Amino acid sequence: MDNNHIPQSSDNFLREHNGRHQLHPMVHPLIIEQRPPRIIVKGEGSYVTDIDGNTYVDGVGGLWNVNVGHNRPEVKAAISAQMEEISYYSSFAGTVTPPSIELSAKIIEMTAEEDMSKVLFSANGSDAVETALKLSRQYWKLEGEPERTGFISLKQGYHGIQFGGTSVNGSSLYRSAYGPLLPGCYQVDSPWTYRNPYSEDPEDLTEAIITQIDRLIRHQGAHTIAAFIAEPVQGAGGVIVPPASFWPRLRTLLDAHRILLISDEVVTGFGRTGAMFGARGWGVNPDIMCFAKGITAGYIPLGATVINKRIYAAWQKGIDPMGFIMHGYTATGHALGCAAANATLKIVEDEDLPGNAARMGKRLQDGLRDVPNWSSLVGEVRGKGLMVGLDLVADKAMREPIDPGKGQGEMVATFARDEGVIVRPAGPVIIISPPLTLSEDETDKIVDGLIKALRRYEREK
């Protein structure tokens, strides 16, 4: 890729001020001051270039989200064309812009298999989750069961950073500094075949976790639980792929207790797991779905929360004060975001990005499959579609995860960058989540770069 960055007079300013004024997510600010982040200045397809002119395969797809690749002319043209008309107008108080109408129709068309009915737009995935939690509580009030306010989620799950999402997150890392949080939020063990106290057999593990959920519901009382929220494949928590039977069994259990299922599709939506939607890949229809990231491929921030016909029926009983949607964002239905999404989703469908994610994901995992046999650091390679994780262990026999504070994941990621590949160390897992447009050659470059990085780690550890 001919994508060399030509240094500008402002480059010195950028280097001087990098790390000095911004607070960056998910890291201590003193670490950023000591080791300022890499400045990315250009992107093209599956590649990005930094301020020093170094080009890398973008093995993280921005942050799980640049699904159609960088610098797509179709998406840029859609944003530009909309800017020529109007960049923003409110969706409040009886006004709307055309792109949001078009996008809402497209999303309902794409989710017809899930029997979805209505869309509420927002600005990002955390918003989409917050909206889902609030609408699920409102639904039960409209249904005459106001005691249904509780939420169940999985350990290792990640659902964003607003107070609702933080409260249902499955890791204390995201909660401990921000409590007290919402009451009535319960976490159960994740159906994680590699690391659990129950069984390595997928069916036995599914049975154990479903039993645990059922016991929790019965203990708390089903009449107090509004919804169960989960990612079809857990992302930030470690790329945890549940057994194939888990989601169908979960759906059956929740139906028995009349509890809603919220599918957090912020990462998995629009093709990343090899199916158009993560829950669809498990053969399950949720009640509520949360979208962001891949909906616009990161070109403009946008989130969306979709409810099915059964849920929307509660609002169709008549105009009730309790039924007003007293929720929304300044960015709800943002014209540029919706224009970007309309162009993005056309690419997703026209180029069959879910199918490509399935094919390249298999190629990626096949290329890395032998790594645990010789690496002292990698205990397991796992994934679904183009969600792939390398589990880093301190003790292979005990499957004890590394201490992230020792920097082993960062070391491997640094070595991979030296080989021209960006991957993401997240706690004890190396995450790979490239654009869904990834080619065979680019897939092989990620495999080759990671293997070389891990071999170098073996030499230098």
Side-chain angles (χ1 to χ4, degrees):
M1 180 186 67
D2 183 13
N3 201 22
N4 293 327
H5 173 64
I6 301 173
Q8 305 292 327
S9 59
S10 63
D11 285 4
N12 288 335
F13 175 90
L14 295 175
R15 290 186 177 92
E16 179 185 352
H17 290 270
N18 185 21
R20 290 180 58 182
H21 310 296
Q22 285 192 63
L23 287 175
H24 287 262
M26 308 301 173
V27 66
H28 196 287
L30 293 183
I31 294 175
I32 289 293
E33 290 183 18
Q34 295 162 8
R35 298 196 299 273
R38 191 168 300 270
I39 303 172
I40 302 297
V41 297
K42 293 191 73 174
E44 185 71 34
S46 297
Y47 295 87
V48 294
T49 300
D50 68 18
I51 198 169
D52 298 314
N54 302 305
T55 296
Y56 311 91
V57 180
D58 182 7
V60 295
L63 191 64
W64 308 95
N65 61 338
V66 187
N67 290 5
V68 302
H70 297 277
N71 206 27
R72 289 295 295 247
E74 308 96 312
V75 183
K76 294 193 298 180
I79 296 168
S80 179
Q82 184 58 42
M83 289 179 74
E84 291 297 322
E85 301 298 326
I86 187 168
S87 293
Y88 171 81
Y89 206 77
S90 168
S91 294
F92 287 41
T95 52
V96 70
T97 55
S100 68
I101 299 172
E102 296 164 1
L103 180 59
S104 63
K106 184 61 182 175
I107 290 173
I108 295 305
E109 173 194 310
M110 294 179 76
T111 57
E113 187 174 321
E114 286 74 24
D115 207 32
M116 293 294 154
S117 177
K118 296 286 182 178
V119 185
L120 181 52
F121 292 115
S122 55
N124 55 55
S126 293
D127 294 344
V129 167
E130 204 78 4
T131 300
L133 298 177
K134 291 175 75 173
L135 289 180
S136 64
R137 283 186 171 181
Q138 187 174 16
Y139 166 79
W140 286 115
K141 288 179 171 59
L142 291 172
E143 288 290 283
E145 299 188 51
E147 288 185 80
R148 285 187 180 265
T149 60
F151 300 107
I152 304 174
S153 57
L154 296 173
K155 294 175 184 176
Q156 281 79 48
Y158 179 77
H159 302 291
I161 45 71
Q162 294 185 1
F163 267 100
T166 301
S167 300
V168 297
N169 274 346
S171 170
S172 61
L173 287 173
Y174 301 107
R175 300 195 304 263
S176 57
Y178 305 107
L181 301 171
L182 293 182
C185 296
Y186 314 100
Q187 282 82 40
V188 298
D189 288 335
S190 177
W192 187 357
T193 54
Y194 184 65
R195 192 173 282 118
N196 72 79
Y198 306 104
S199 174
E200 290 187 39
D201 180 85
E203 294 305 316
D204 290 346
L205 177 59
T206 292
E207 179 66 29
I209 304 303
I210 292 296
T211 299
Q212 185 182 148
I213 296 168
D214 185 43
R215 287 175 176 171
L216 173 62
I217 292 169
R218 293 179 186 279
H219 176 71
Q220 297 298 332
H223 67 286
T224 70
I225 306 298
F228 190 107
I229 182 169
E231 306 153 273
V233 175
Q234 291 179 309
V239 191
I240 299 170
V241 183
S245 61
F246 175 74
W247 270 69
R249 290 282 307 277
L250 175 65
R251 176 79 267 188
T252 299
L253 175 66
L254 298 179
D255 285 345
H257 292 292
R258 299 179 57 247
I259 292 170
L260 305 184
L261 174 58
I262 301 171
S263 183
D264 183 343
E265 302 267 359
V266 170
V267 168
T268 58
F270 306 108
R272 181 154 293 280
T273 65
M276 185 62 76
F277 305 110
R280 184 180 294 179
W282 299 127
V284 168
N285 293 343
D287 298 296
I288 303 176
M289 303 172 80
C290 303
F291 299 133
K293 292 192 183 293
I295 197 171
T296 64
Y299 282 70
I300 299 282
L302 187 76
T305 304
V306 189
I307 61 174
N308 68 10
K309 292 176 182 176
R310 179 170 71 90
I311 301 305
Y312 183 59
W315 275 266
Q316 293 179 297
K317 297 175 183 178
I319 298 177
D320 182 314
M322 190 61 68
F324 281 74
I325 307 291
M326 301 305 295
H327 175 79
Y329 301 88
T330 301
T332 291
H334 195 287
L336 298 185
C338 291
N342 286 322
T344 297
L345 297 185
K346 186 176 189 308
I347 294 170
V348 170
E349 289 189 322
D350 288 354
E351 299 184 8
D352 185 24
L353 295 193
N356 193 61
R359 291 187 294 272
M360 295 306 103
K362 181 179 185 303
R363 188 180 184 94
L364 185 61
Q365 288 190 66
D366 285 348
L368 296 171
R369 196 166 307 283
D370 188 53
V371 168
N373 293 327
W374 55 260
S375 170
S376 65
L377 187 62
V378 178
E380 182 183 52
V381 176
R382 57 176 176 264
K384 188 172 177 63
L386 282 173
M387 293 180 71
V388 177
L390 279 65
D391 201 302
L392 308 184
V393 294
D395 184 318
K396 282 199 172 186
M398 300 302 295
R399 301 185 179 181
E400 177 188 348
I402 62 165
D403 176 358
K406 293 184 177 180
Q408 292 152 294
E410 285 75 12
M411 185 183 300
V412 172
T414 297
F415 293 163
R417 280 200 302 272
D418 291 344
E419 299 296 333
V421 175
I422 295 178
V423 294
R424 179 186 171 203
V429 179
I430 296 287
I431 290 175
I432 311 168
S433 56
L436 307 189
T437 52
L438 200 72
S439 69
E440 291 185 357
D441 178 63
E442 291 159 352
T443 302
D444 294 344
K445 285 180 180 179
I446 294 175
V447 171
D448 183 62
L450 258 175
I451 288 175
K452 287 178 178 176
L454 289 162
R455 292 284 190 191
R456 180 176 168 188
Y457 172 85
E458 294 296 323
R459 295 193 302 269
E460 299 187 17
K461 64 181 179 180

